């Protein structure tokens, strides 16, 4: 007897809407925290999502001076402005509009991110992605990705999709992050554009709208998501997004959940409190 084929996963729907909260970090940089706040503490494997956006130099000039990380990855995606990064291992690089830095902190790194401009718009995102226990003490590494390395596709419906991580149509994103097999798409939709976007069936996923308004979900069950709102997506397969009367832009981010205990203390993310204590001691002893 032949097996009955399983039905394909249904389109995902919105489970929760979260609005970012204003806060500050680093040496007083003003930003909006979307994941990592009371309404959404984390979405496995994602620990934090910040949007920074200001054309007032006083909001960002102090930057993020030297600070440690252990046990996870930080992802910076620049939309506008220039940010210089450096670390205690001699690495240095410049983030410019459209570029990405995917940093694996692993067993420990001391890192800084400082604006390389005195005026103008500074705009982008920082995402924190957890690492599984087996990889938390791996050697630190950077993936500095210039804008021209990020493939872009224009669909039949007119959507423009930049593929930072994962796959869209025939384009493979340049990021190598096997532990969580992430998807990270920057999607620009003309007014009225309807577009289906692929998500691996077992991944947790969210949509964050940063321009305009988008209806998220299948026809008849789509939910409006406004600029500055994050939509946590339910289980299923792909997601459908539809722009309203004006053009819109969003990021779609998805990752394989780890399902492991999480112990957090500031810039350290481990599995147990004992490992957090060890991270603090190692940092204080100069072992990063």
């Amino acid at each position: 007897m032949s097996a009955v084929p399983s039905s394909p996963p249904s389109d995902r729907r919105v489970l929760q809407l979260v609005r970012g909260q204003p806060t500050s970090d680093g040496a007083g940089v003003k930003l909006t925290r979307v994941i990592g706040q009371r309404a959404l503490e984390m979405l496995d494997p994602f620990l934090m999502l910040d949007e920074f956006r200001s054309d007032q130099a006083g909001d960002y000039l102090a930057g993020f001076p030297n600070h440690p990380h252990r046990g996870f990855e930080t992802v910076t995606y620049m939309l506008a402005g220039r940010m210089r990064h450096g670390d205690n291992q001699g690495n240095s690089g410049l983030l410019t509009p459209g570029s990405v830095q995917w940093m694996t902190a692993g067993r420990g790194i001391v890192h800084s991110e400082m604006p390389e401009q005195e005026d103008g718009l500074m705009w982008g995102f920082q995402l924190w992605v957890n690492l599984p226990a087996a990889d938390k003490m791996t050697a630190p590494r950077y993936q500095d990705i210039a804008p021209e390395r990020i493939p872009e596709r224009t669909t039949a419906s007119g959507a423009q999709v930049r593929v930072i991580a994962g796959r869209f149509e025939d384009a493979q994103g340049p990021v190598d992050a096997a532990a969580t097999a992430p998807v990270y798409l920057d999607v620009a939709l003309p007014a009225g554009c309807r577009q289906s976007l692929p998500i691996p069936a077992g991944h947790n996923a969210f949509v964050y709208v940063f321009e305009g308004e988008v209806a998220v979900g299948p026809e008849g069950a789509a939910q409006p998501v406004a600029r500055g709102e994050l939509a946590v997506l339910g289980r299923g397969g792909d997601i459908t997004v539809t722009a309203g009367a004006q053009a819109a832009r969003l990021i779609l981010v998805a990752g394989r959940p780890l399902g492991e205990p999480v112990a957090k203390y500031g810039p350290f993310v481990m599995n147990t409190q004992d490992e957090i204590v060890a991270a603090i001691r190692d940092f204080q002893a100069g072992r990063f």
Side-chain angles (χ1 to χ4, degrees):
M1 181 181 294
S2 61
V4 176
S6 59
S7 58
S10 60
D11 274 6
R12 296 177 185 239
R13 302 188 180 201
V14 175
L15 287 184
Q16 180 185 0
L17 276 182
V18 178
R19 177 159 286 280
Q21 299 297 311
T23 186
S24 65
D25 210 334
V29 176
K30 292 184 180 179
L31 47 82
T32 299
R33 181 146 297 161
V34 193
I35 300 176
Q37 49 139 321
R38 182 174 299 179
L40 184 61
E41 291 188 358
M42 67 174 290
L43 178 64
D44 187 13
F46 306 113
L47 303 160
M48 190 188 80
L49 175 68
D50 287 343
E51 179 183 10
F52 50 92
R53 180 180 184 177
S54 179
D55 57 8
Q56 302 298 311
D59 291 346
Y60 60 74
L61 270 184
F64 302 89
N66 281 344
H67 54 283
H69 292 297
R70 173 179 278 185
F72 63 101
E73 299 181 297
T74 69
V75 185
T76 306
Y77 179 32
M78 293 293 290
L79 299 175
R82 295 160 59 86
M83 186 86 75
R84 172 73 61 179
H85 72 82
D87 67 25
N88 62 337
Q89 300 186 27
N91 297 302
S92 179
L94 181 64
L95 283 161
T96 58
S99 64
V100 174
Q101 181 202 79
W102 199 291
M103 183 186 78
T104 303
R107 61 176 174 253
I109 201 165
V110 179
H111 183 236
S112 68
E113 297 155 297
M114 301 299 293
E116 198 162 277
Q117 63 187 63
E118 295 183 358
D119 54 33
L121 179 63
M122 179 76 72
W123 188 14
F125 302 99
Q126 185 164 102
L127 177 73
W128 287 12
V129 186
N130 202 7
L131 285 170
D135 294 338
K136 284 191 177 293
M137 296 298 284
T138 191
R141 69 166 180 156
Y142 282 105
Q143 296 177 74
D144 282 319
I145 300 167
E148 59 270 19
R149 289 186 56 206
I150 299 174
E152 185 171 311
R153 294 293 181 267
T154 300
T155 70
S157 66
Q160 290 185 305
V161 182
R162 299 191 83 217
V163 188
I164 295 165
R167 190 168 190 85
F168 180 79
E169 295 184 343
D170 64 341
Q172 179 68 45
V175 167
D176 172 23
T180 53
V183 174
Y184 196 138
L185 306 179
D186 175 351
V187 183
L189 302 170
C193 176
R194 179 181 175 86
Q195 181 65 45
S196 178
L197 300 167
I199 305 173
H203 280 32
N204 285 339
F206 66 84
V207 164
Y208 180 73
V209 178
F210 60 97
E211 288 183 357
E213 182 174 298
V214 176
V216 177
E219 192 171 5
Q223 186 159 343
V225 183
R227 188 263 177 273
E229 290 183 328
L230 179 146
V232 178
L233 305 179
R235 293 292 181 179
D238 300 349
I239 187 66
T240 300
V241 292
T242 308
Q246 297 181 339
R249 196 170 170 193
L250 58 92
I251 53 172
L252 166 65
V253 181
R256 181 167 54 216
L258 301 178
E260 296 181 350
V262 175
K264 294 188 290 185
Y265 182 77
F268 308 130
V269 182
M270 304 301 290
N271 296 104
T272 69
Q273 286 303 125
D274 286 347
E275 290 170 336
I276 292 292
V277 171
I280 295 170
R281 288 175 176 165
D282 285 348
F283 172 61
Q284 292 174 338
R287 289 191 284 266
F288 274 30

